[in-house]
Structures are given as C-alpha cells and as structure tokens.
Amino acid sequence: MEEYFFYHLAKLLVQKEGLYEAFLSEAEQYLAGDRRGGNEPKKLEWLFYTFCQKNGMSALNIEDLLPDIRELLYWASAEPALRETADSLLAWLHQESLSQKQKDQYVKALLEGFTKRTGDAVCDELNRMLCDCYEKNKEQFDGLLNRIREENEIIYALLLLRDVEKEDAWQQDIFEDHMHSFEDMEEYIAILEKTEIPSDMKDLIIRRGIGLLNQNLFQKKNYEIFDALIARLDRKDQWEDILGDFVRQLQSEAGNFDDGQLETACYVEQLLLKYAPGEVESILKREYDRRQKKHLPENVETEANVVLVEEQAAVKPVDDDFDDEEEKGNFWDSLLVGYPQGFLTGCVMYVCSYTLIIGHWKIAVGMIGMWVLFTLNYYYLTLHKKNQYSFWKNIGMTLLEGYLIQFVAALFLSQRIRLTYFVLMGILAVAIQVINIVRESMEKGED
C-alpha cells in the first residue's frame, strides 16, 4: 500500500496535476475534520487508494489488500470519511472471485480484527461468506462455521443471533435443530451466553420452550430444565405468568389425573409457589394428600402423625434416668474401624516412651501433638456414621488398642524383631483401612 501511494502520487504530480491538486484538497479537508487519532499516514494511503479507484487507476492485488483490511474496518467504525473507503473496498471484494487461499486469508484478517467497534462489520462479512457457502457448498459451510466457532466463540454467538426468523437462513436451521428437546435448547443457550442475548431472542426461545412443555405436560424433568433455563435468561417474571397458566389448566383437571400425573402437577404448583408465594391455592397438593390418605391401611399412621409421635418421643423430662438413653453402636465394628487409629496411637506411645528415656522430651511433645491431630481426624471421619458409640468410648477403644500394640512391642528385646513387628502391624492397619473403605462404599451403593 505504501509503494502504491508514493508511486501513483508522483505519477499524478507529473502527468495529472489537476487530480493531484484535487487529492491534496481532499486530504486537507480530512485532516481538518473530526479524526480519532491512530496511524494518520496509513489513513491517507487508504483515502488515496479510493481516490485512485474513482479516477480509473489500477487496483492493488487482493493479497496486498487483505492483511490491512482489519485496520481499515476499525478506523471506519468511527470516521465517516474512512467508512466510505471501507464500503467501496468491500463492494469491490464482493464482485471479485476469490480463491480458497484468498478466502482463508480474508477470514483470518476478519477474525483477528474483531473488536467491539468492528463487530458489526466483521459479522456482516463473515455472514455473507457463510450464506454464500450454505447455498453452494455445504461442506465448505461446515468447515468455515467450525473454524469461526473454534477461534472466536463470541463471533459465533453473534452470527447465530442474526436472521433467526428469516426463511431459509442457515441461522434458522441451526435454531430449529436445537428446539426439539430441552437438552438441545440448553446447549443452544450456552452458546448464545457468550454474548448478550437480545430480548426478542429470549422471547422466541421461551415460546418454543412452552411448546415443548405442552407436548408432554407431565414430564417433570422438562419443568426442571426449563426452570433453570429461565433463570439463565433472566425472565423469572415471565416464567411466573407462564406457570400460572399451566397451574390453572392443571388444577381444573385435578380429579382426572392418575397418581403419577398428579405428582408432576403438584411439582408445577409448588414451583409457582416458589415464585409467587401465597398467590395460588394448593388445590393439587390437597388432592394428592387426600389420595395418599385414602390408599393407606387403617393400622398405618399418616406421615404427619408419625412426625408428631417422633417429636413427642424426642421430648423427655429433665429428671429422666441417664441410663434409659439407648446408645447405638456395634463393638466389633467400632473396634475394626478404630484399629488404624489404634496402630497410630501405639506408635506414638512407643516413640514417646523411647524419647523420654533418652531425654528428648521435645520430640515426645511433638508426637503427642500429632496424636491429637490424628484423633481429631478420626473423630471427623466417624461423624457421618449412623450407628456409633460416643466419641469418648471410641477414643477409649483406640487407646486400648494402641496400648496393647505398644505393650507387645516392649516384650521384644531384639530391635530387629521389634521393627518387623511394627511393619506387620502397619501393613495390617493399611489392609483394615482398605476393608473399611470398601465396606463403606458398598453400604452407600446399597442405599
């Protein structure tokens, strides 16, 4: 571009002085106008290039123009004089038959030149190229669209928001492909969330969501997903009105539902109460409770009565004998679970005894601190167990285990035998802990 500028400017000066003076006047007018800074010499080169094209001079090769087009689009977004230059250049490009290599170069320049200011111009050009490919070559269209999605998800989202309601537009086809289920709709919204979703687009998605709900009024999962999507679209007030229509429709037919349908209808009614508490009667919930009571045998208490009995049983007089309190727990299970802690306790006891004999009391204090940490960790691990002894009883059992392990170790006079003993006890502790983990996993799986 720079060589083109100086060559043709000198040519005008020598051969066409009138055109030379005309461009100087145009350049002076531009420099005296409202400019936004930037590379002024480069801007003048673009103005001169447009001036030369208007006056029938030769054009640059496309390969020489494409790398700098992103700068021109950026400047043109704020300066009217350069906007005319950009429009004329783009119109010329639209008439040219670009090779695949030139198209790739052009797409690269557009993607790299995308900013908030150039967003509309970049999306216009990419959308034009996509529409052209969509009509002529579906394979090239898929390749270009995937490239855009991989390199800039914001541009991809902005392109999807265009022409959604336009007949035969590629955006409409993608929109329709994602409106067959709530899972597909969720994926589509996740794409659009890369940018700001317009209000009319939110309305369109919600209308299609209502259509999906109407296809199966008693699919509870659909309400759960759509409720989450409504929160992402920030349309809770609109969702409240929609739920109100659904609830009124369901309440009018409450007596005709089977138990499964009524359960889903109750969920919808409770969902509305979450957004509009106190503004709707729990007709469906009362019908559901009535059926549940009707189905229960006479000798079985209702859920409410059971809760009441449990609450009354939980309240005991202050002067009750402490021994009446039943403590849940299994001795052998607690002994097995506590063995790894007991082994650590035995090791701490032995090391403390040995260090005190040789006079290193600081090491003994440190070991006691480690034992306290081990004990608190053990207490934390036993909190989740449903059936267990009290914390002090569990600690007492581990202390007993630790003392026995340390006592047996003290009986061995040979240091080598004593070391082997501790290694075997350690291996046993690891094995028991693995068994404990497996047992806990199996119990959770059964639950």
Side-chain angles (χ1 to χ4, degrees):
M1 178 65 76
E2 187 177 359
E3 293 178 2
Y4 183 94
F5 175 77
F6 286 109
Y7 173 77
H8 285 83
L9 188 63
K11 190 175 181 180
L12 287 181
L13 178 60
V14 174
Q15 298 179 0
K16 299 179 181 181
E17 189 174 349
L19 290 177
Y20 177 79
E21 294 295 336
F23 174 71
L24 288 184
S25 175
E26 185 177 323
E28 289 176 358
Q29 184 178 358
Y30 167 73
L31 293 173
D34 183 20
R35 307 190 315 280
R36 299 298 179 91
N39 192 337
E40 301 292 351
K42 193 70 175 179
K43 293 181 181 179
L44 289 174
E45 290 176 9
W46 278 111
L47 290 172
F48 180 71
Y49 182 77
T50 306
F51 178 84
C52 291
Q53 298 307 299
K54 289 179 181 178
N55 289 278
M57 297 184 185
S58 61
L60 276 172
N61 292 328
I62 293 177
E63 289 82 358
D64 297 327
L65 285 172
L66 293 179
D68 297 329
I69 199 169
R70 54 191 175 190
E71 293 180 342
L72 176 61
L73 293 177
Y74 180 78
W75 295 326
S77 63
E79 300 184 26
L82 290 171
R83 188 176 300 121
E84 182 182 352
T85 299
D87 290 342
S88 62
L89 178 63
L90 293 177
W92 175 74
L93 282 175
H94 298 167
Q95 297 173 358
E96 295 294 313
S97 180
L98 303 182
S99 66
Q100 188 59 47
K101 180 180 179 181
Q102 290 170 340
K103 289 180 181 178
D104 292 340
Q105 189 178 5
Y106 189 31
V107 170
K108 180 181 179 182
L110 291 172
L111 292 175
E112 291 179 350
F114 175 80
T115 64
K116 188 175 182 179
R117 279 173 52 175
T118 63
D120 289 339
V122 168
C123 289
D124 286 342
E125 286 301 292
L126 289 173
N127 188 45
R128 182 191 62 80
M129 297 177 72
L130 285 165
C131 290
D132 186 59
C133 292
Y134 193 66
E135 295 174 358
K136 299 177 181 178
N137 192 321
K138 192 65 165 58
E139 185 177 347
Q140 287 186 3
F141 169 81
D142 292 336
L144 178 55
L145 191 63
N146 289 333
R147 177 182 176 183
I148 294 171
R149 183 174 186 175
E150 290 172 1
E151 295 191 22
N152 194 315
E153 292 183 335
I154 297 178
I155 296 178
Y156 180 69
L158 289 171
L159 289 171
L160 289 182
L161 290 170
R162 291 169 170 244
D163 302 330
V164 175
E165 298 186 88
K166 183 179 178 181
E167 193 68 26
D168 298 328
W170 64 268
Q171 291 95 333
Q172 187 185 61
D173 290 344
I174 292 180
F175 175 80
E176 293 296 336
D177 289 341
H178 286 86
M179 294 297 121
H180 297 305
S181 69
F182 281 109
E183 289 77 9
D184 293 336
M185 185 181 291
E186 191 174 18
E187 179 185 349
Y188 187 72
I189 292 175
I191 297 171
L192 298 186
E193 283 178 330
K194 304 298 180 182
T195 185
E196 184 178 353
I197 305 177
S199 178
D200 56 346
M201 187 63 180
K202 292 180 180 180
D203 292 338
L204 184 60
I205 293 173
I206 290 174
R207 287 198 297 271
R208 299 304 291 269
I210 295 172
L212 289 176
L213 290 176
N214 279 317
Q215 290 178 12
N216 191 342
L217 286 173
F218 303 103
Q219 187 69 34
K220 181 179 177 182
K221 183 180 178 182
N222 289 346
Y223 291 99
E224 294 173 347
I225 297 177
F226 197 50
D227 182 51
L229 295 181
I230 286 289
R232 290 165 67 174
L233 293 173
D234 194 22
R235 287 299 182 90
K236 293 183 179 180
D237 293 339
Q238 189 174 354
W239 181 223
E240 180 182 330
D241 296 335
I242 295 169
L243 282 172
D245 294 337
F246 275 110
V247 169
R248 284 189 290 272
Q249 180 182 353
L250 294 169
Q251 287 179 343
S252 65
E253 301 289 335
N256 299 326
F257 298 149
D258 59 35
D259 291 346
Q261 292 173 336
L262 185 59
E263 184 177 354
T264 301
C266 285
Y267 173 79
V268 180
E269 186 179 66
Q270 296 305 310
L271 196 59
L272 175 60
L273 288 171
K274 182 179 76 171
Y275 292 102
E279 296 185 13
V280 61
E281 291 187 54
S282 300
I283 297 175
L284 296 168
K285 183 66 169 59
R286 289 200 296 268
E287 173 65 17
Y288 181 80
D289 292 341
R290 185 188 67 79
R291 292 192 189 183
Q292 292 297 106
K293 292 177 182 178
K294 183 179 179 181
H295 293 162
L296 287 174
E298 293 182 358
N299 60 340
V300 178
E301 294 178 298
T302 63
E303 182 180 353
N305 289 334
V306 171
V307 172
L308 181 60
V309 170
E310 290 178 349
E311 291 178 350
Q312 292 174 349
V315 180
K316 295 184 177 181
V318 178
D319 58 348
D320 275 359
D321 189 7
F322 179 79
D323 293 335
D324 292 340
E325 182 180 350
E326 182 181 355
E327 187 180 43
K328 296 181 179 180
N330 181 283
F331 175 77
W332 293 109
D333 182 68
S334 298
L335 198 65
L336 186 66
V337 172
Y339 177 76
Q341 173 69 14
F343 171 72
L344 294 174
T345 302
C347 292
V348 169
M349 287 180 176
Y350 182 81
V351 174
C352 287
S353 176
Y354 180 77
T355 53
L356 288 174
I357 291 173
I358 62 176
H360 292 284
W361 62 271
K362 294 180 179 179
I363 298 177
V365 172
M367 294 304 298
I368 293 173
M370 289 178 62
W371 178 80
V372 172
L373 180 59
F374 289 148
T375 302
L376 293 175
N377 186 54
Y378 172 65
Y379 175 57
Y380 173 76
L381 293 175
T382 58
L383 282 176
H384 71 282
K385 293 184 67 65
K386 295 180 180 178
N387 299 323
Q388 61 169 331
Y389 288 121
S390 65
F391 172 61
W392 300 112
K393 187 173 288 188
N394 281 323
I395 293 302
M397 294 172 68
T398 60
L399 286 172
L400 178 61
E401 290 173 327
Y403 176 76
L404 291 175
I405 291 171
Q406 184 265 347
F407 177 78
V408 172
L411 297 178
F412 299 117
L413 299 179
S414 172
Q415 185 176 355
R416 184 174 181 179
I417 297 176
R418 194 182 303 124
L419 178 60
T420 304
Y421 166 75
F422 273 112
V423 170
L424 292 175
M425 291 294 101
I427 294 174
L428 180 61
V430 172
I432 289 177
Q433 192 69 332
V434 171
I435 293 172
N436 291 333
I437 293 172
V438 172
R439 288 171 60 234
E440 186 68 23
S441 300
M442 293 175 64
E443 288 176 5
K444 288 185 177 180
E446 292 174 358
D447 292 341

